Amino acid sequence: MPHEILATFTDLDAMAVDVTTGSGHQLRLEAAGDDGSGGGAGPKEAILAALAACTSMDVASILRKKRQRPTTYQIAMSGDTATEYPKVFTRISVEHRVSGTVEPEALRRSIELSATRYCPVSAMLAASVRIEHRYRLEQDGAAPRSELVVVTGPP
């Protein structure tokens, strides 16, 4: 099934593009820094946001099937960028921050399945970018637990 997007360049001075998705949703993307006002997310930020949304939806769904109910769930992303144009991402770090009564192995496996099997955004990016997937789990009365789950992408 094809996915359709209509991007309309709406503001030359702000370097702003209004995007309408095939499902009718709208986004505003703008150039960062000297090229634009920064009033909207930049295209590379949107890529990280798409990865965060994709993997978090997978992980939440898998945790629900495993009858795991986190109290809170956030994803922190960071990306290193090449210094030369086109300044692509060279490494992305994904940290799933979870609190509540969640079994560490259930969380680990949910992240692994998203990163290696289910998330199409992760699969597309991993074709050219090293992506580190980890978690930080905080449970009542215990020290926070952090673990590297899987690294995808080229070596």
Side-chain angles (χ1 to χ4, degrees):
M1 181 175 126
H3 293 272
E4 296 179 9
I5 298 287
L6 177 62
T8 305
F9 206 92
T10 55
D11 189 336
L12 185 61
D13 293 327
M15 297 294 289
V17 176
D18 289 330
V19 178
T20 304
T21 67
S23 59
H25 293 88
Q26 295 190 344
L27 306 166
R28 183 176 186 91
L29 301 176
E30 292 189 11
D34 297 337
D35 295 328
S37 69
K44 285 173 56 180
E45 289 176 309
I47 289 171
L48 290 180
L51 176 57
C54 183
T55 192
S56 67
M57 290 176 193
D58 287 343
V59 170
S61 176
I62 296 166
L63 286 173
R64 188 173 50 237
K65 289 173 186 168
K66 292 178 177 284
R67 301 194 190 309
Q68 304 291 304
R69 298 287 185 186
T71 305
T72 63
Y73 179 26
Q74 295 179 322
I75 292 188
M77 293 267 183
S78 64
D80 295 340
T81 305
T83 56
E84 301 293 321
Y85 283 98
K87 297 189 178 184
V88 298
F89 286 118
T90 56
R91 187 187 66 80
I92 296 173
S93 176
V94 181
E95 182 181 62
H96 299 257
R97 296 177 179 171
V98 178
S99 70
T101 307
V102 174
E103 295 172 17
E105 178 55 23
L107 178 58
R108 187 203 67 74
R109 182 66 176 144
S110 298
I111 293 167
E112 179 183 45
L113 286 169
S114 175
T116 62
R117 183 176 294 168
Y118 295 120
C119 177
V121 177
S122 184
M124 286 185 284
L125 288 171
S128 60
V129 180
R130 177 184 168 95
I131 307 174
E132 298 174 359
H133 305 264
R134 59 182 71 245
Y135 72 79
R136 177 180 172 86
L137 177 59
E138 295 184 13
Q139 296 175 308
D140 291 337
R145 177 179 177 155
S146 294
E147 182 179 327
L148 176 65
V149 175
V150 66
V151 177
T152 59

